[in-house]
Amino acid sequence: MATIKVHDKLFEPYISKTAISEKIKSIAHQINNDYKNKNPLFIAILNGSFIFAADLFKQISIEAEICFIKLASYKGTKSSGQVITAIGLDIDIFRRNVVIIEDIIDTGKTLSAFLPQLHHQQPASLKIVALLHKPEATIYPVEIDYLGFSIPDKFVLGYGLDYNGLGRNIDEIYKLVE
Ligand code: IMP
Ligand code: MG
């Protein structure tokens, strides 16, 4: 198998371009059916989801909007714990049908901290689409409404996902060789 080296580590092919694009077509098909006449607002979470979001959005054939945000986390006071702020959420989500686009859900920490803030703004509905999920890594459970692939708790890269900044431009998904 053709392995690649990124920084100091070796990665091997894991999920092919074809498998990814077939999966995206099927997710888009479901969303096109579920959100007809609902003008959904997709919120893609940067950086990791930018390629998945672009490919998915191209397959959305109904009226829909998309925006991109970055989540920044910092330690709040002892009682409030971790605080997550959304940078770039400049669209009012009140009464909107919101669909979050994530590249991968690992421990669930980021999303489980962020989702209550979105709920607070009273969207009409709030759903999650994720390309990858590592169920074994779950610490904070997050309900995923549209999922690409469930994978073991192994480090992956490519298709938007990085290892210390590199690998996002690889057009299929690789996994760490152990
Ligand atoms: P969580 O808060 O633990 O669910 O973290 C999710 C974020 O960690 C994702 O949005 C990715 O940016 C990053 N991440 C988790 N697993 C991987 C991986 O295997 N490869 C690259 N990035 C990952
Ligand atoms: Mg991410």
Side-chain angles (χ1 to χ4, degrees):
M1 225 178 330
T3 58
I4 54 165
K5 196 171 179 200
V6 178
H7 291 299
D8 56 327
K9 296 199 191 310
L10 278 181
F11 292 84
E12 62 191 3
Y14 185 41
I15 305 175
S16 72
K17 270 195 274 194
T18 321
I20 296 169
S21 76
E22 287 306 309
K23 190 65 84 173
I24 288 176
K25 276 184 197 148
S26 113
I27 293 174
H29 182 72
Q30 292 174 54
I31 294 177
N32 287 331
N33 283 326
D34 295 351
Y35 285 88
K36 201 169 275 168
N37 301 319
K38 290 186 172 173
N39 184 19
L41 170 64
F42 291 89
I43 301 178
I45 301 179
L46 296 171
N47 294 325
S49 75
F50 78 113
I51 291 178
F52 173 49
D55 284 349
L56 178 68
F57 200 60
K58 283 187 282 184
Q59 299 293 327
I60 298 298
S61 53
I62 55 170
E63 187 175 87
E65 292 173 44
I66 189 166
C67 70
F68 296 81
I69 65 164
K70 243 186 142 140
L71 295 181
S73 67
Y74 58 94
K75 278 246 184 306
T77 61
K78 257 209 179 106
S79 55
S80 60
Q82 199 192 21
V83 182
I84 303 266
T85 34
I87 301 163
L89 187 56
D90 48 11
I91 298 179
D92 188 5
I93 67 165
F94 181 61
R95 291 191 180 151
R96 294 296 307 267
N97 292 292
V98 174
V99 183
I100 302 288
I101 305 180
E102 255 291 31
D103 51 352
I104 184 165
I105 298 178
D106 185 21
T107 64
K109 188 175 182 178
T110 322
L111 270 193
S112 67
F114 179 54
L115 290 176
Q117 297 180 30
L118 288 181
H119 274 299
H120 192 72
Q121 296 177 47
Q122 300 176 29
S125 66
L126 182 55
K127 291 200 173 181
I128 294 169
V129 50
L131 180 63
L132 302 165
H133 180 216
K134 296 179 183 171
E136 295 160 6
T138 305
I139 298 175
Y140 307 86
V142 169
E143 200 186 312
I144 305 168
D145 301 281
Y146 305 95
L147 175 64
F149 304 91
S150 202
I151 63 169
D153 189 7
K154 299 275 154 67
F155 192 82
V156 291
L157 106 167
Y159 200 73
L161 293 146
D162 73 307
Y163 166 47
N164 283 348
L166 294 181
R168 295 195 196 274
N169 52 337
I170 296 165
D171 68 354
E172 52 193 346
I173 295 169
Y174 279 67
K175 76 165 193 259
L176 185 66
V177 176
E178 283 158 306

